[in-house]
mmCIF file of all heavy atoms in Angstrom:
data_model
loop_
_atom_site.group_PDB
_atom_site.id
_atom_site.type_symbol
_atom_site.label_atom_id
_atom_site.label_comp_id
_atom_site.label_asym_id
_atom_site.label_seq_id
_atom_site.Cartn_x
_atom_site.Cartn_y
_atom_site.Cartn_z
ATOM 1 N N MET A 246 8.780 4.977 7.188
ATOM 2 C CA MET A 246 7.999 3.737 7.169
ATOM 3 C C MET A 246 8.900 2.514 7.026
ATOM 4 O O MET A 246 8.576 1.431 7.501
ATOM 5 C CB MET A 246 6.993 3.762 6.016
ATOM 6 C CG MET A 246 5.835 4.720 6.199
ATOM 7 S SD MET A 246 4.859 4.373 7.702
ATOM 8 C CE MET A 246 5.505 5.633 8.789
ATOM 9 N N GLY A 247 10.027 2.681 6.347
ATOM 10 C CA GLY A 247 10.993 1.587 6.213
ATOM 11 C C GLY A 247 12.166 1.775 7.150
ATOM 12 O O GLY A 247 13.314 1.481 6.801
ATOM 13 N N GLY A 248 11.887 2.243 8.336
ATOM 14 C CA GLY A 248 12.927 2.657 9.266
ATOM 15 C C GLY A 248 13.888 1.580 9.706
ATOM 16 O O GLY A 248 14.954 1.872 10.244
ATOM 17 N N SER A 249 13.546 0.297 9.498
ATOM 18 C CA SER A 249 14.447 -0.769 9.925
ATOM 19 C C SER A 249 15.567 -1.012 8.925
ATOM 20 O O SER A 249 16.506 -1.762 9.206
ATOM 21 C CB SER A 249 13.656 -2.075 10.119
ATOM 22 O OG SER A 249 13.079 -2.509 8.886
ATOM 23 N N SER A 250 15.492 -0.385 7.755
ATOM 24 C CA SER A 250 16.496 -0.626 6.719
ATOM 25 C C SER A 250 17.844 -0.029 7.098
ATOM 26 O O SER A 250 17.936 1.090 7.616
ATOM 27 C CB SER A 250 16.024 -0.031 5.392
ATOM 28 O OG SER A 250 17.050 -0.107 4.428
ATOM 29 N N LEU A 251 18.895 -0.764 6.789
ATOM 30 C CA LEU A 251 20.250 -0.275 7.056
ATOM 31 C C LEU A 251 20.596 0.923 6.185
ATOM 32 O O LEU A 251 21.467 1.721 6.531
ATOM 33 C CB LEU A 251 21.262 -1.401 6.820
ATOM 34 C CG LEU A 251 21.175 -2.601 7.764
ATOM 35 C CD1 LEU A 251 22.162 -3.688 7.345
ATOM 36 C CD2 LEU A 251 21.453 -2.183 9.202
ATOM 37 N N TRP A 252 19.949 1.057 5.038
ATOM 38 C CA TRP A 252 20.252 2.177 4.145
ATOM 39 C C TRP A 252 19.999 3.516 4.806
ATOM 40 O O TRP A 252 20.653 4.512 4.492
ATOM 41 C CB TRP A 252 19.384 2.101 2.886
ATOM 42 C CG TRP A 252 19.523 0.854 2.104
ATOM 43 C CD1 TRP A 252 20.657 0.107 1.929
ATOM 44 C CD2 TRP A 252 18.487 0.171 1.383
ATOM 45 N NE1 TRP A 252 20.390 -0.982 1.140
ATOM 46 C CE2 TRP A 252 19.071 -0.967 0.786
ATOM 47 C CE3 TRP A 252 17.140 0.428 1.180
ATOM 48 C CZ2 TRP A 252 18.338 -1.855 0.008
ATOM 49 C CZ3 TRP A 252 16.418 -0.443 0.394
ATOM 50 C CH2 TRP A 252 17.010 -1.573 -0.183
ATOM 51 N N TRP A 253 18.991 3.574 5.685
ATOM 52 C CA TRP A 253 18.513 4.862 6.163
ATOM 53 C C TRP A 253 19.151 5.297 7.476
ATOM 54 O O TRP A 253 18.765 6.337 8.020
ATOM 55 C CB TRP A 253 16.995 4.827 6.334
ATOM 56 C CG TRP A 253 16.209 4.291 5.186
ATOM 57 C CD1 TRP A 253 15.068 3.535 5.248
ATOM 58 C CD2 TRP A 253 16.451 4.478 3.786
ATOM 59 N NE1 TRP A 253 14.615 3.232 3.995
ATOM 60 C CE2 TRP A 253 15.445 3.796 3.079
ATOM 61 C CE3 TRP A 253 17.447 5.150 3.066
ATOM 62 C CZ2 TRP A 253 15.395 3.774 1.684
ATOM 63 C CZ3 TRP A 253 17.398 5.120 1.675
ATOM 64 C CH2 TRP A 253 16.387 4.449 1.006
ATOM 65 N N GLN A 254 20.084 4.551 8.000
ATOM 66 C CA GLN A 254 20.640 4.894 9.303
ATOM 67 C C GLN A 254 21.241 6.298 9.366
ATOM 68 O O GLN A 254 21.071 7.001 10.366
ATOM 69 C CB GLN A 254 21.674 3.849 9.731
ATOM 70 C CG GLN A 254 21.108 2.435 9.839
ATOM 71 C CD GLN A 254 19.775 2.366 10.571
ATOM 72 O OE1 GLN A 254 19.673 2.792 11.715
ATOM 73 N NE2 GLN A 254 18.737 1.849 9.908
ATOM 74 N N PRO A 255 21.949 6.797 8.310
ATOM 75 C CA PRO A 255 22.483 8.169 8.403
ATOM 76 C C PRO A 255 21.394 9.229 8.499
ATOM 77 O O PRO A 255 21.652 10.348 8.945
ATOM 78 C CB PRO A 255 23.267 8.323 7.089
ATOM 79 C CG PRO A 255 23.577 6.933 6.658
ATOM 80 C CD PRO A 255 22.402 6.113 7.088
ATOM 81 N N PHE A 256 20.154 8.886 8.083
ATOM 82 C CA PHE A 256 19.077 9.866 8.055
ATOM 83 C C PHE A 256 18.154 9.775 9.268
ATOM 84 O O PHE A 256 17.138 10.476 9.324
ATOM 85 C CB PHE A 256 18.240 9.680 6.779
ATOM 86 C CG PHE A 256 19.048 9.739 5.510
ATOM 87 C CD1 PHE A 256 19.376 8.583 4.834
ATOM 88 C CD2 PHE A 256 19.492 10.954 5.015
ATOM 89 C CE1 PHE A 256 20.119 8.635 3.673
ATOM 90 C CE2 PHE A 256 20.239 11.015 3.853
ATOM 91 C CZ PHE A 256 20.562 9.854 3.177
ATOM 92 N N LYS A 257 18.496 8.931 10.223
ATOM 93 C CA LYS A 257 17.635 8.722 11.382
ATOM 94 C C LYS A 257 17.207 10.025 12.064
ATOM 95 O O LYS A 257 16.041 10.174 12.458
ATOM 96 C CB LYS A 257 18.326 7.803 12.389
ATOM 97 C CG LYS A 257 18.250 6.321 12.061
ATOM 98 C CD LYS A 257 16.846 5.770 12.274
ATOM 99 C CE LYS A 257 16.801 4.262 12.124
ATOM 100 N NZ LYS A 257 15.425 3.723 12.296
ATOM 101 N N PRO A 258 18.124 11.001 12.235
ATOM 102 C CA PRO A 258 17.700 12.235 12.905
ATOM 103 C C PRO A 258 16.605 13.000 12.158
ATOM 104 O O PRO A 258 15.893 13.804 12.754
ATOM 105 C CB PRO A 258 18.994 13.062 12.967
ATOM 106 C CG PRO A 258 20.085 12.051 12.922
ATOM 107 C CD PRO A 258 19.581 10.976 12.006
ATOM 108 N N LEU A 259 16.475 12.749 10.855
ATOM 109 C CA LEU A 259 15.470 13.441 10.054
ATOM 110 C C LEU A 259 14.135 12.699 10.020
ATOM 111 O O LEU A 259 13.107 13.276 9.649
ATOM 112 C CB LEU A 259 15.962 13.612 8.612
ATOM 113 C CG LEU A 259 17.261 14.381 8.396
ATOM 114 C CD1 LEU A 259 17.601 14.419 6.911
ATOM 115 C CD2 LEU A 259 17.155 15.804 8.948
ATOM 116 N N MET A 260 14.143 11.429 10.384
ATOM 117 C CA MET A 260 12.966 10.579 10.236
ATOM 118 C C MET A 260 12.110 10.611 11.499
ATOM 119 O O MET A 260 12.620 10.746 12.600
ATOM 120 C CB MET A 260 13.410 9.140 9.936
ATOM 121 C CG MET A 260 14.081 8.997 8.577
ATOM 122 S SD MET A 260 15.172 7.545 8.430
ATOM 123 C CE MET A 260 14.102 6.220 8.966
ATOM 124 N N PHE A 261 10.782 10.498 11.304
ATOM 125 C CA PHE A 261 9.917 10.410 12.473
ATOM 126 C C PHE A 261 9.797 8.946 12.899
ATOM 127 O O PHE A 261 9.881 8.025 12.064
ATOM 128 C CB PHE A 261 8.545 11.035 12.214
ATOM 129 C CG PHE A 261 7.780 10.448 11.056
ATOM 130 C CD1 PHE A 261 7.057 9.271 11.189
ATOM 131 C CD2 PHE A 261 7.774 11.092 9.829
ATOM 132 C CE1 PHE A 261 6.333 8.744 10.124
ATOM 133 C CE2 PHE A 261 7.056 10.575 8.757
ATOM 134 C CZ PHE A 261 6.339 9.396 8.903
ATOM 135 N N PRO A 262 9.631 8.681 14.187
ATOM 136 C CA PRO A 262 9.620 7.303 14.674
ATOM 137 C C PRO A 262 8.363 6.554 14.250
ATOM 138 O O PRO A 262 7.266 7.130 14.192
ATOM 139 C CB PRO A 262 9.685 7.460 16.196
ATOM 140 C CG PRO A 262 9.111 8.820 16.458
ATOM 141 C CD PRO A 262 9.494 9.668 15.286
ATOM 142 N N THR A 263 8.525 5.300 13.935
ATOM 143 C CA THR A 263 7.408 4.392 13.670
ATOM 144 C C THR A 263 7.644 3.117 14.463
ATOM 145 O O THR A 263 8.779 2.801 14.831
ATOM 146 C CB THR A 263 7.295 4.041 12.177
ATOM 147 O OG1 THR A 263 8.530 3.455 11.742
ATOM 148 C CG2 THR A 263 7.011 5.269 11.341
ATOM 149 N N ASP A 264 6.574 2.398 14.722
ATOM 150 C CA ASP A 264 6.705 1.127 15.424
ATOM 151 C C ASP A 264 6.846 0.011 14.388
ATOM 152 O O ASP A 264 5.958 -0.191 13.546
ATOM 153 C CB ASP A 264 5.498 0.881 16.322
ATOM 154 C CG ASP A 264 5.537 1.756 17.568
ATOM 155 O OD1 ASP A 264 6.575 1.760 18.248
ATOM 156 O OD2 ASP A 264 4.545 2.453 17.840
ATOM 157 N N ILE A 265 7.953 -0.701 14.475
ATOM 158 C CA ILE A 265 8.281 -1.750 13.513
ATOM 159 C C ILE A 265 7.912 -3.111 14.107
ATOM 160 O O ILE A 265 8.303 -3.419 15.235
ATOM 161 C CB ILE A 265 9.779 -1.738 13.153
ATOM 162 C CG1 ILE A 265 10.222 -0.331 12.747
ATOM 163 C CG2 ILE A 265 10.066 -2.739 12.049
ATOM 164 C CD1 ILE A 265 9.593 0.198 11.491
ATOM 165 N N VAL A 266 7.158 -3.897 13.357
ATOM 166 C CA VAL A 266 6.752 -5.226 13.838
ATOM 167 C C VAL A 266 7.337 -6.294 12.922
ATOM 168 O O VAL A 266 7.696 -6.023 11.774
ATOM 169 C CB VAL A 266 5.204 -5.341 13.890
ATOM 170 C CG1 VAL A 266 4.640 -4.370 14.904
ATOM 171 C CG2 VAL A 266 4.581 -5.101 12.519
ATOM 172 N N PRO A 267 7.439 -7.538 13.411
ATOM 173 C CA PRO A 267 8.037 -8.616 12.604
ATOM 174 C C PRO A 267 7.213 -8.923 11.363
ATOM 175 O O PRO A 267 5.977 -8.839 11.376
ATOM 176 C CB PRO A 267 8.048 -9.812 13.557
ATOM 177 C CG PRO A 267 7.906 -9.239 14.925
ATOM 178 C CD PRO A 267 7.091 -7.997 14.779
ATOM 179 N N TYR A 268 7.905 -9.270 10.292
ATOM 180 C CA TYR A 268 7.264 -9.668 9.042
ATOM 181 C C TYR A 268 7.381 -11.185 8.908
ATOM 182 O O TYR A 268 8.500 -11.717 8.910
ATOM 183 C CB TYR A 268 7.949 -8.975 7.871
ATOM 184 C CG TYR A 268 7.334 -9.265 6.516
ATOM 185 C CD1 TYR A 268 6.230 -8.555 6.077
ATOM 186 C CD2 TYR A 268 7.873 -10.230 5.671
ATOM 187 C CE1 TYR A 268 5.667 -8.791 4.832
ATOM 188 C CE2 TYR A 268 7.319 -10.481 4.422
ATOM 189 C CZ TYR A 268 6.220 -9.752 4.005
ATOM 190 O OH TYR A 268 5.674 -10.001 2.772
ATOM 191 N N PRO A 269 6.263 -11.902 8.806
ATOM 192 C CA PRO A 269 6.317 -13.373 8.803
ATOM 193 C C PRO A 269 6.699 -13.941 7.435
ATOM 194 O O PRO A 269 5.891 -14.571 6.744
ATOM 195 C CB PRO A 269 4.892 -13.763 9.203
ATOM 196 C CG PRO A 269 4.046 -12.664 8.653
ATOM 197 C CD PRO A 269 4.869 -11.411 8.783
ATOM 198 N N ALA A 270 7.945 -13.696 7.029
ATOM 199 C CA ALA A 270 8.411 -14.156 5.722
ATOM 200 C C ALA A 270 8.399 -15.682 5.654
ATOM 201 O O ALA A 270 8.747 -16.369 6.623
ATOM 202 C CB ALA A 270 9.826 -13.633 5.465
ATOM 203 N N THR A 271 8.010 -16.194 4.492
ATOM 204 C CA THR A 271 7.929 -17.637 4.315
ATOM 205 C C THR A 271 8.568 -18.059 2.998
ATOM 206 O O THR A 271 8.978 -17.216 2.193
ATOM 207 C CB THR A 271 6.463 -18.109 4.385
ATOM 208 O OG1 THR A 271 6.427 -19.536 4.412
ATOM 209 C CG2 THR A 271 5.651 -17.588 3.219
ATOM 210 N N PHE A 272 8.650 -19.361 2.782
ATOM 211 C CA PHE A 272 9.341 -19.921 1.622
ATOM 212 C C PHE A 272 8.857 -21.346 1.425
ATOM 213 O O PHE A 272 8.064 -21.868 2.233
ATOM 214 C CB PHE A 272 10.858 -19.871 1.829
ATOM 215 C CG PHE A 272 11.307 -20.319 3.197
ATOM 216 C CD1 PHE A 272 11.547 -21.659 3.468
ATOM 217 C CD2 PHE A 272 11.445 -19.397 4.225
ATOM 218 C CE1 PHE A 272 11.921 -22.079 4.742
ATOM 219 C CE2 PHE A 272 11.833 -19.805 5.502
ATOM 220 C CZ PHE A 272 12.066 -21.143 5.760
ATOM 221 N N ASP A 273 9.320 -22.004 0.400
ATOM 222 C CA ASP A 273 8.902 -23.369 0.126
ATOM 223 C C ASP A 273 9.240 -24.292 1.297
ATOM 224 O O ASP A 273 10.326 -24.192 1.892
ATOM 225 C CB ASP A 273 9.598 -23.900 -1.134
ATOM 226 C CG ASP A 273 9.065 -23.246 -2.399
ATOM 227 O OD1 ASP A 273 8.188 -22.378 -2.291
ATOM 228 O OD2 ASP A 273 9.533 -23.609 -3.492
ATOM 229 N N ASP A 274 8.312 -25.172 1.620
ATOM 230 C CA ASP A 274 8.517 -26.188 2.662
ATOM 231 C C ASP A 274 8.764 -25.581 4.040
ATOM 232 O O ASP A 274 9.448 -26.172 4.882
ATOM 233 C CB ASP A 274 9.685 -27.122 2.283
ATOM 234 C CG ASP A 274 9.490 -27.786 0.929
ATOM 235 O OD1 ASP A 274 8.344 -28.204 0.639
ATOM 236 O OD2 ASP A 274 10.462 -27.864 0.161
ATOM 237 N N ASP A 275 8.217 -24.410 4.277
ATOM 238 C CA ASP A 275 8.348 -23.728 5.566
ATOM 239 C C ASP A 275 7.336 -24.328 6.548
ATOM 240 O O ASP A 275 6.128 -24.266 6.317
ATOM 241 C CB ASP A 275 8.099 -22.238 5.371
ATOM 242 C CG ASP A 275 8.238 -21.437 6.656
ATOM 243 O OD1 ASP A 275 8.671 -22.004 7.670
ATOM 244 O OD2 ASP A 275 7.907 -20.239 6.624
ATOM 245 N N THR A 276 7.808 -24.897 7.639
ATOM 246 C CA THR A 276 6.925 -25.552 8.605
ATOM 247 C C THR A 276 6.587 -24.665 9.802
ATOM 248 O O THR A 276 5.793 -25.057 10.664
ATOM 249 C CB THR A 276 7.572 -26.844 9.127
ATOM 250 O OG1 THR A 276 8.821 -26.526 9.755
ATOM 251 C CG2 THR A 276 7.800 -27.829 7.973
ATOM 252 N N GLU A 277 7.179 -23.471 9.869
ATOM 253 C CA GLU A 277 6.987 -22.614 11.046
ATOM 254 C C GLU A 277 6.308 -21.291 10.724
ATOM 255 O O GLU A 277 6.257 -20.394 11.560
ATOM 256 C CB GLU A 277 8.341 -22.353 11.715
ATOM 257 C CG GLU A 277 9.030 -23.626 12.197
ATOM 258 C CD GLU A 277 10.362 -23.340 12.859
ATOM 259 O OE1 GLU A 277 10.728 -22.150 12.939
ATOM 260 O OE2 GLU A 277 11.022 -24.289 13.292
ATOM 261 N N VAL A 278 5.763 -21.170 9.518
ATOM 262 C CA VAL A 278 5.203 -19.892 9.101
ATOM 263 C C VAL A 278 4.016 -19.483 9.979
ATOM 264 O O VAL A 278 3.875 -18.299 10.325
ATOM 265 C CB VAL A 278 4.792 -19.928 7.616
ATOM 266 C CG1 VAL A 278 3.751 -21.002 7.326
ATOM 267 C CG2 VAL A 278 4.279 -18.563 7.173
ATOM 268 N N GLU A 279 3.167 -20.421 10.369
ATOM 269 C CA GLU A 279 2.005 -20.062 11.175
ATOM 270 C C GLU A 279 2.435 -19.508 12.529
ATOM 271 O O GLU A 279 1.803 -18.569 13.047
ATOM 272 C CB GLU A 279 1.100 -21.284 11.358
ATOM 273 C CG GLU A 279 0.404 -21.716 10.069
ATOM 274 C CD GLU A 279 -0.558 -22.865 10.297
ATOM 275 O OE1 GLU A 279 -0.733 -23.271 11.460
ATOM 276 O OE2 GLU A 279 -1.130 -23.359 9.310
ATOM 277 N N THR A 280 3.491 -20.050 13.093
ATOM 278 C CA THR A 280 3.996 -19.535 14.369
ATOM 279 C C THR A 280 4.468 -18.098 14.222
ATOM 280 O O THR A 280 4.171 -17.236 15.064
ATOM 281 C CB THR A 280 5.154 -20.414 14.878
ATOM 282 O OG1 THR A 280 4.688 -21.750 15.061
ATOM 283 C CG2 THR A 280 5.711 -19.880 16.183
ATOM 284 N N ARG A 281 5.198 -17.816 13.146
ATOM 285 C CA ARG A 281 5.677 -16.456 12.930
ATOM 286 C C ARG A 281 4.521 -15.489 12.680
ATOM 287 O O ARG A 281 4.560 -14.330 13.106
ATOM 288 C CB ARG A 281 6.664 -16.422 11.755
ATOM 289 C CG ARG A 281 8.014 -17.072 12.072
ATOM 290 C CD ARG A 281 9.070 -16.694 11.045
ATOM 291 N NE ARG A 281 8.726 -17.193 9.717
ATOM 292 C CZ ARG A 281 8.966 -18.429 9.291
ATOM 293 N NH1 ARG A 281 9.547 -19.295 10.109
ATOM 294 N NH2 ARG A 281 8.643 -18.803 8.082
ATOM 295 N N GLU A 282 3.500 -15.951 11.991
ATOM 296 C CA GLU A 282 2.328 -15.106 11.756
ATOM 297 C C GLU A 282 1.632 -14.754 13.064
ATOM 298 O O GLU A 282 1.256 -13.599 13.286
ATOM 299 C CB GLU A 282 1.368 -15.812 10.803
ATOM 300 C CG GLU A 282 1.874 -15.883 9.363
ATOM 301 C CD GLU A 282 0.978 -16.717 8.472
ATOM 302 O OE1 GLU A 282 0.105 -17.437 9.009
ATOM 303 O OE2 GLU A 282 1.152 -16.667 7.244
ATOM 304 N N VAL A 283 1.462 -15.726 13.927
ATOM 305 C CA VAL A 283 0.809 -15.490 15.213
ATOM 306 C C VAL A 283 1.606 -14.492 16.038
ATOM 307 O O VAL A 283 1.041 -13.562 16.632
ATOM 308 C CB VAL A 283 0.629 -16.817 15.985
ATOM 309 C CG1 VAL A 283 0.215 -16.547 17.427
ATOM 310 C CG2 VAL A 283 -0.409 -17.697 15.293
ATOM 311 N N LEU A 284 2.919 -14.647 16.069
ATOM 312 C CA LEU A 284 3.758 -13.731 16.843
ATOM 313 C C LEU A 284 3.674 -12.309 16.306
ATOM 314 O O LEU A 284 3.613 -11.343 17.087
ATOM 315 C CB LEU A 284 5.214 -14.218 16.815
ATOM 316 C CG LEU A 284 5.503 -15.512 17.584
ATOM 317 C CD1 LEU A 284 6.948 -15.958 17.361
ATOM 318 C CD2 LEU A 284 5.228 -15.324 19.076
ATOM 319 N N ALA A 285 3.650 -12.162 14.977
ATOM 320 C CA ALA A 285 3.547 -10.822 14.384
ATOM 321 C C ALA A 285 2.207 -10.181 14.720
ATOM 322 O O ALA A 285 2.138 -9.001 15.096
ATOM 323 C CB ALA A 285 3.735 -10.911 12.875
ATOM 324 N N LEU A 286 1.134 -10.947 14.609
ATOM 325 C CA LEU A 286 -0.204 -10.416 14.899
ATOM 326 C C LEU A 286 -0.356 -10.066 16.373
ATOM 327 O O LEU A 286 -0.997 -9.062 16.733
ATOM 328 C CB LEU A 286 -1.258 -11.430 14.469
ATOM 329 C CG LEU A 286 -1.354 -11.677 12.951
ATOM 330 C CD1 LEU A 286 -2.214 -12.893 12.665
ATOM 331 C CD2 LEU A 286 -1.895 -10.448 12.241
ATOM 332 N N GLU A 287 0.233 -10.878 17.235
ATOM 333 C CA GLU A 287 0.189 -10.589 18.667
ATOM 334 C C GLU A 287 0.925 -9.296 18.988
ATOM 335 O O GLU A 287 0.481 -8.496 19.827
ATOM 336 C CB GLU A 287 0.790 -11.751 19.454
ATOM 337 C CG GLU A 287 -0.110 -12.991 19.502
ATOM 338 C CD GLU A 287 0.528 -14.133 20.261
ATOM 339 O OE1 GLU A 287 1.758 -14.054 20.535
ATOM 340 O OE2 GLU A 287 -0.187 -15.107 20.591
#
Side-chain angles (χ1 to χ4, degrees):
M246 289 301 101
S249 63
S250 173
L251 295 175
W252 302 325
W253 311 144
Q254 301 314 303
F256 305 103
K257 280 288 187 182
L259 301 179
M260 293 157 52
F261 58 81
T263 58
D264 286 309
I265 309 295
V266 296
Y268 182 83
T271 189
F272 45 87
D273 289 1
D274 304 319
D275 181 8
T276 59
E277 299 180 0
V278 60
E279 291 184 4
T280 300
R281 289 195 296 277
E282 289 174 347
V283 169
L284 291 174
L286 293 168
E287 287 179 347

